[in-house]
Amino acid sequence: MRPPGSRAADEGRVAHPVTGAAGTPGTPRVLRAMNDRAALDLLLEHGPLSRTRTGKLTGLSKPTAGQLLARLEAAGLVVATGTTEGRPGPGAQLYAVNPAAAYVAALDVNPHRIRAAVADITGRTVGHHELPTPGRRRAVPVVQQVTDALDGAVKAAGLTRADIHRTVIGTPGAFDPNTGRLRYASHLPGWHSPTLLDELAAALPMPCAYENDVNLVALAERRLGAARDHDDFVLLWNQEGLGAALVLGGRLHRGFTGGAGEVGFLPVPGAPLVRHVTRTNSGGFQELAGAQAVPRLARELGVEDVPQGPYAEVAAALLERAAARPDEEPHRALLRTYATRLATGLASLIAVLDPALVVLSGTALTAGGEPLRDLIQAELAELAASRPRLAAAGVREHPVLRGALESALATTRDEVFDTSR
């Protein structure tokens, strides 16, 4: 019988991606692929690792860990990056995931611009481009806008379209899986053609996925922000529009037509009953607590020097100013009244979903800081039967784009890191 640290024994051991605990034996090929993936995930999480450190984290012997890293290096998935320093004797060779193993792209679309980014397989952004798309009637077809934005980011990364393994596009609303048409986003001109997805598929050489922008923000928060380690949470987004993302049992809940979380259409007390909501692209909760309601509310409460400009930016400026002066009227009244409006709609979501966590995201929520969060939490204590924790978003810079990159990376890593193929 071979000793436990031998290669033969290690072939029957499955490395746990975090703890290194052994799992159920299987065929050598499957076990090698599982150990390869565990090692790659550890390299992504911890950065460059030596053979010894890789063996300790995976639970494999040092010789087997060395063979694993050599196999991954030969496959182009890891690269030698240097040696350890600061210890007596020669340094140990360090290995890291090869950034050039694959690249992904992401697009964040709204009525005013398309923001595009390219990331390598490690998640590092290597190219960025922003394409303005002004005007309600688009002179340039949507397909060309998408390819122009993508090409700008690809060029900035020093790559070509053929280098991109996968692209994820985030938009307001959602593409109905039953019809392939964009719904709940009548304010996005040019994106409602029944042939748009086919046209984009013909123009883009890589697989392309489409996701609601707020859902992508939730993915970013679950991967990198305030919702890490949470399988059940609601993300409330308030910026150009008011929406929510629902993560239930660790999975995004999209609904039958992709419209789950379109809470701006929610009828709520304190707002007129809005009919034909998809035609008007608004509803009670949007009118009561959307970013466009903040400047109007501020004027009603006597706030002076209400700035001009896009309402999302104006709302953020007003709430940031109020949060800096929470003990002064009328700033205190603005925060208190706005918190009540937000809690009115949130209470309905909480009553139906009973989440453990509610993440507040978008500039019309995060600009209010802790003073606004505390007031919403206090209101929910009286309006909601359960008591979810409220947390401010942890991903503040381009959260839709970051979520789209994380989505593309997750699928691409599953494909590229599968060494059993």
Side-chain angles (χ1 to χ4, degrees):
M1 180 179 293
R2 302 285 186 96
S6 71
R7 178 182 176 189
D10 282 341
E11 284 183 347
R13 178 178 297 153
V14 180
H16 189 281
V18 178
T19 65
T24 304
T27 65
R29 181 180 181 183
V30 172
L31 292 175
R32 280 196 297 269
M34 294 175 69
N35 289 337
D36 290 348
R37 178 60 192 265
L40 289 163
D41 286 342
L42 287 166
L43 289 168
L44 286 173
E45 181 180 358
H46 296 284
L49 298 174
S50 65
R51 289 182 297 169
T52 300
R53 183 63 175 156
T54 301
K56 288 181 178 179
L57 289 173
T58 58
L60 302 173
S61 67
K62 181 179 177 180
T64 303
Q67 293 162 357
L68 179 154
L69 289 168
R71 185 169 63 248
L72 294 176
E73 186 177 18
L77 295 177
V78 304
V79 291
T81 60
T83 58
T84 56
E85 298 178 356
R87 296 181 180 179
Q93 181 68 62
L94 295 174
Y95 297 87
V97 171
N98 180 7
Y103 296 92
V104 300
L107 277 73
D108 168 17
V109 179
N110 75 17
H112 313 294
R113 52 100 187 111
I114 299 177
R115 184 177 287 140
V118 171
D120 63 36
I121 197 69
T122 70
R124 183 174 66 95
T125 300
V126 295
H128 187 274
H129 183 71
E130 187 164 315
L131 178 73
T133 55
R136 296 191 60 83
R137 296 181 65 85
R138 300 281 173 87
V140 179
V142 164
V143 173
Q144 185 178 335
Q145 292 173 17
V146 168
T147 55
D148 286 350
L150 176 63
D151 287 345
V154 167
K155 181 179 179 180
L159 302 170
T160 68
R161 280 193 207 175
D163 295 316
I164 305 302
H165 191 89
R166 185 176 184 83
T167 295
V168 172
I169 299 177
T171 68
F175 284 93
D176 189 329
N178 305 293
T179 65
R181 299 189 68 168
L182 186 68
R183 300 186 60 170
Y184 314 110
S186 59
H187 62 302
L188 197 62
W191 282 78
H192 300 88
S193 167
T195 63
L196 177 61
L197 297 187
D198 291 335
E199 293 170 11
L200 287 169
L204 299 174
M206 76 292 291
C208 190
Y210 305 86
E211 184 61 87
N212 170 262
D213 53 0
V214 183
N215 283 349
L216 292 173
V217 176
L219 289 177
E221 288 296 327
R222 189 162 188 253
R223 175 69 179 86
L224 305 168
R228 278 177 292 186
D229 302 321
H230 281 81
D231 287 339
D232 292 271
F233 69 95
V234 169
L235 181 134
L236 184 68
W237 169 265
N238 199 1
Q239 197 157 294
E240 286 86 4
L242 182 61
L246 318 175
V247 177
L248 308 174
R251 298 174 64 89
L252 277 168
H253 179 69
R254 297 178 175 85
F256 178 64
T257 64
E262 294 288 345
V263 296
F265 298 132
L266 191 69
V268 292
L273 189 63
V274 180
R275 299 184 184 275
H276 308 295
V277 294
T278 55
R279 188 184 308 163
T280 61
N281 202 46
S282 188
F285 197 22
Q286 178 72 45
E287 295 299 318
L288 184 72
Q292 81 274 19
V294 176
R296 182 170 62 248
L297 178 62
R299 295 186 186 95
E300 291 173 358
L301 294 172
V303 174
E304 298 180 351
D305 300 323
V306 175
Q308 300 294 316
Y311 55 75
E313 296 177 12
V314 173
L318 288 168
L319 293 168
E320 186 175 15
R321 187 198 309 173
R325 308 174 188 175
D327 297 325
E328 299 178 12
E329 295 289 356
H331 302 293
R332 177 168 56 189
L334 175 61
L335 287 177
R336 186 174 59 248
T337 306
Y338 191 51
T340 300
R341 292 184 173 198
L342 290 164
T344 299
L346 266 177
S348 297
L349 282 176
I350 291 168
V352 174
L353 299 172
D354 189 24
L357 173 72
V358 175
V359 178
L360 304 176
S361 187
T363 54
L365 290 172
T366 57
E370 283 300 298
L372 180 61
R373 190 205 68 84
D374 289 344
L375 287 168
I376 299 171
Q377 187 85 70
E379 286 290 85
L380 288 175
E382 298 184 10
L383 297 176
S386 62
R387 301 288 187 272
R389 182 172 67 88
L390 263 64
V395 181
R396 301 290 182 91
E397 185 176 0
H398 307 324
V400 176
L401 200 63
R402 188 68 247 175
L405 287 173
E406 290 300 319
S407 176
L409 284 166
T411 303
T412 299
R413 287 169 181 165
D414 284 345
E415 295 169 351
V416 175
F417 288 173
D418 184 1
T419 58
S420 69
R421 299 186 177 186

